[in-house]
Amino acid sequence: MRATDLPQVRALELFARVSESAFDSLVQAAYLQTFPAQLELIAEGDTADFLYVVVDGCVELFAKSNGRESTIGTVHPGGTFILAAVLKDAVYLMSARTAQKSRILLIPSEDVRTAFESDEAFARSIVVELARCYRTAIKEHKDIKLRTAVERLANRLLRYHQDQGARGNVELPYDKRLIASMLGMTPENLSRAFNTLKPYGVDVQGSCVSLSDISSLTRLAKPNPLIDDRDT
Amino acid sequence: MRATDLPQVRALELFARVSESAFDSLVQAAYLQTFPAQLELIAEGDTADFLYVVVDGCVELFAKSNGRESTIGTVHPGGTFILAAVLKDAVYLMSARTAQKSRILLIPSEDVRTAFESDEAFARSIVVELARCYRTAIKEHKDIKLRTAVERLANRLLRYHQDQGARGNVELPYDKRLIASMLGMTPENLSRAFNTLKPYGVDVQGSCVSLSDISSLTRLAKPNPLIDDRDT
DNA sequence: GTGAAGGCTTGATGAACATCAAGGATTGAG
DNA sequence: CTCAATCCTTGATGTTCATCAAGCCTTCAC
């Protein structure tokens, strides 16, 4: 890794209170690489050789079975993926591909486990991150099991709306194909779900969605902090 | 906690390599209690006052939203629940009720966090357990998103079959109502799914299921170790 | 520009699953 | 044993969602 890249890596929450020596041995054998969009980084079933940390861009986690494929989630700057597999020294349960051009830090698994044992602060960061991943997964699971497709879309729109400053319109952060897969439906059905939401003030123009009746959309969505809030 | 209970608690994997002093301070303020079946232990949204460890019996984790309810998973002896909420000092995302009469250890959250910081071995056990919980959740999520209801049932039957020694029949470990909810379907549909599996050698008699054509059932189920194996 | 490719939408149809209503089977209390 | 309660099953029906097929629309290479 080049010396000029170090500050950006050091600034990641994951390394916030880590000692100099532990940080040095973590990044010493690590790679910071830029990948183009749509590149498959890992495949489910592979052994966990590296921990991946997203520095810039966005990564999609997905899984296949029986010829079907589904998106499990996305990872943003500061987030890690495949952490549990690295800690357990097990195989990956998910595949990952870049959703956009992305800068990603790869740390050899062995070094992660070593630093985990030797550095208190790193261990604590790892646990906090793992707990966050777990709770995110549980929320996703509740979303899928307790809501219909239209409700999931409505709540996701409200979330993006909040994220983007609640200005009455939303820029979809991903392809519709990817959004559909995250929400557990087909692209065709996402299209129809948008139509279903038209009477609730939802108008789609390409990747820009205007929300002209938030209160009515909210009544339909019935958002639940124990599913939709990101950091509870 | 009574002195006679200590050995059984000490023997839990979670405490395996924990120092005497850390163990003592963990159990010092802990409760070991026996609860009857169908008792609600915690409700989603509550603040995480205790870590729960199942010593005997079985606990169901479930969640509600919009008047709907769904089972997220079950916890067996040696397993914990609500670990992530305790570590993050956040609210519970799931409710829990005993599925059977159960003995459960309650450790005050504060003590868990203290022991986590002071005892290496406990910290490691916690991380391993949390990683296991996470991976279990991901597998459940893949199960739901990538399979039909009948496929989920077929794979679950094969799992129970393995667990119970592969003798060609299976004793259902829970009520059908609970199994249906775990598999993300209604009790009516579970009944029909069992009928769908009849041509594959599946015969149900109350809580006893005979599997007379494992290979044909396996062909239908298409089991996937990255979904169905418990400890990969 | 023009053509091709890929993403998105729409319609028609069918499969998967939920809901409602009723009846049968078990279980447990008295 | 008998009754009531609960759980489970079955049938009829309707909703939700996927699939297939076609067409549109944007984008990009040439």
Side-chain angles (χ1 to χ4, degrees):
Chain A
M1 193 158 65
R2 284 175 303 189
T4 53
D5 290 330
L6 277 173
Q8 194 182 6
V9 172
R10 191 66 167 110
L12 292 169
E13 180 61 25
L14 194 63
F15 303 119
R17 280 159 293 276
V18 172
S19 71
E20 281 304 323
S21 71
F23 180 74
D24 287 348
S25 58
L26 269 172
V27 296
Q28 175 241 94
Y31 305 93
L32 182 67
Q33 261 189 280
T34 302
F35 297 97
Q38 297 302 320
L39 188 86
E40 191 161 327
L41 300 167
I42 59 172
E44 49 181 320
D46 289 356
T47 55
D49 296 326
F50 294 95
L51 173 66
Y52 289 73
V53 186
V54 178
V55 176
D56 246 325
C58 178
V59 171
E60 172 195 1
L61 302 176
F62 64 99
K64 296 186 194 193
S65 200
N66 292 351
R68 287 161 237 170
E69 177 182 320
S70 186
T71 303
I72 310 294
T74 53
V75 188
H76 295 269
T80 66
F81 53 98
I82 311 297
L83 178 53
V86 167
L87 292 171
K88 295 198 69 171
D89 199 7
V91 299
Y92 301 135
L93 291 179
M94 298 181 276
S95 305
R97 68 166 78 95
T98 50
Q100 318 158 0
K101 182 178 167 187
S102 304
R103 294 223 304 165
I104 293 171
L105 181 69
L106 290 79
I107 311 175
S109 297
E110 195 49 57
D111 296 344
V112 172
R113 289 190 292 266
T114 304
F116 176 81
E117 315 240 325
S118 68
D119 190 279
E120 273 283 306
F122 185 64
R124 214 161 319 145
S125 290
I126 287 288
V127 167
V128 167
E129 167 69 6
L130 186 57
R132 193 191 58 74
C133 289
Y134 174 68
R135 286 168 69 87
T136 303
I138 295 294
K139 288 175 202 163
E140 282 292 319
H141 201 64
K142 288 169 68 173
D143 194 44
I144 283 281
K145 283 187 98 176
L146 294 167
R147 286 174 171 160
T148 66
V150 170
E151 289 171 340
R152 291 197 294 277
L153 174 58
N155 280 293
R156 194 56 63 109
L157 288 175
L158 289 173
R159 175 195 291 189
Y160 293 153
H161 187 238
Q162 278 305 114
D163 291 351
Q164 295 174 17
R167 298 204 180 74
N169 59 355
V170 161
E171 179 73 24
L172 295 178
Y174 315 106
D175 281 13
K176 285 180 187 162
R177 164 196 286 283
L178 177 53
I179 292 176
S181 183
M182 288 191 339
L183 297 178
M185 50 181 153
T186 58
E188 293 97 320
N189 241 304
L190 175 63
S191 219
R192 284 185 256 266
F194 271 121
N195 286 334
T196 307
L197 291 180
K198 221 168 237 168
Y200 300 87
V202 175
D203 265 286
V204 189
Q205 214 69 255
S207 69
C208 180
V209 181
S210 84
L211 306 178
S212 55
D213 187 353
I214 298 290
S215 76
S216 138
L217 183 62
T218 303
R219 264 195 307 284
L220 172 82
K222 298 187 226 31
N224 178 337
L226 299 179
I227 299 178
D228 303 295
D229 279 13
R230 224 102 59 133
D231 23 54
T232 65
Chain B
M1 192 160 68
R2 284 174 304 189
T4 53
D5 291 328
L6 277 173
Q8 194 182 5
V9 171
R10 191 68 167 108
L12 292 169
E13 180 61 25
L14 193 64
F15 303 119
R17 279 159 294 276
V18 172
S19 70
E20 280 306 322
S21 71
F23 180 73
D24 287 349
S25 58
L26 269 172
V27 297
Q28 173 241 96
Y31 305 92
L32 182 67
Q33 260 189 283
T34 301
F35 297 96
Q38 296 303 319
L39 188 86
E40 192 161 326
L41 300 168
I42 59 172
E44 49 180 321
D46 290 356
T47 55
D49 296 326
F50 294 95
L51 173 67
Y52 289 73
V53 187
V54 178
V55 177
D56 245 326
C58 179
V59 171
E60 173 195 0
L61 302 176
F62 64 99
K64 294 186 195 193
S65 200
N66 293 349
R68 287 160 236 168
E69 176 181 320
S70 185
T71 303
I72 309 293
T74 53
V75 187
H76 295 268
T80 66
F81 53 98
I82 311 296
L83 177 53
V86 167
L87 292 172
K88 294 199 69 170
D89 198 8
V91 299
Y92 300 134
L93 291 179
M94 299 181 276
S95 305
R97 68 167 80 93
T98 50
Q100 320 157 0
K101 181 177 169 188
S102 303
R103 294 223 304 165
I104 293 170
L105 180 69
L106 291 79
I107 311 175
S109 298
E110 195 49 55
D111 296 342
V112 173
R113 288 190 291 266
T114 303
F116 177 81
E117 316 240 325
S118 68
D119 190 280
E120 275 282 307
F122 185 63
R124 214 160 321 146
S125 289
I126 287 290
V127 167
V128 167
E129 168 69 5
L130 187 55
R132 194 191 57 74
C133 289
Y134 173 68
R135 286 169 70 87
T136 302
I138 294 294
K139 288 174 201 163
E140 282 292 320
H141 201 64
K142 289 169 68 173
D143 195 42
I144 284 281
K145 282 187 97 176
L146 293 167
R147 286 174 171 160
T148 66
V150 170
E151 288 171 341
R152 291 198 293 277
L153 175 58
N155 280 294
R156 193 58 62 111
L157 288 175
L158 288 173
R159 174 195 291 189
Y160 293 152
H161 187 238
Q162 278 305 114
D163 291 351
Q164 294 175 16
R167 298 204 180 74
N169 58 355
V170 161
E171 180 72 24
L172 296 178
Y174 315 105
D175 281 13
K176 285 181 187 162
R177 163 196 288 282
L178 177 54
I179 292 175
S181 182
M182 289 192 335
L183 296 178
M185 50 181 155
T186 58
E188 292 96 322
N189 241 304
L190 177 63
S191 220
R192 284 185 257 266
F194 271 122
N195 285 334
T196 306
L197 291 180
K198 220 168 237 170
Y200 300 87
V202 175
D203 265 285
V204 189
Q205 214 69 253
S207 69
C208 182
V209 181
S210 84
L211 306 178
S212 55
D213 187 352
I214 298 291
S215 75
S216 139
L217 184 62
T218 303
R219 262 195 308 282
L220 172 81
K222 296 187 228 35
N224 178 337
L226 299 179
I227 300 179
D228 304 295
D229 279 13
R230 224 99 60 133
D231 23 56
T232 66

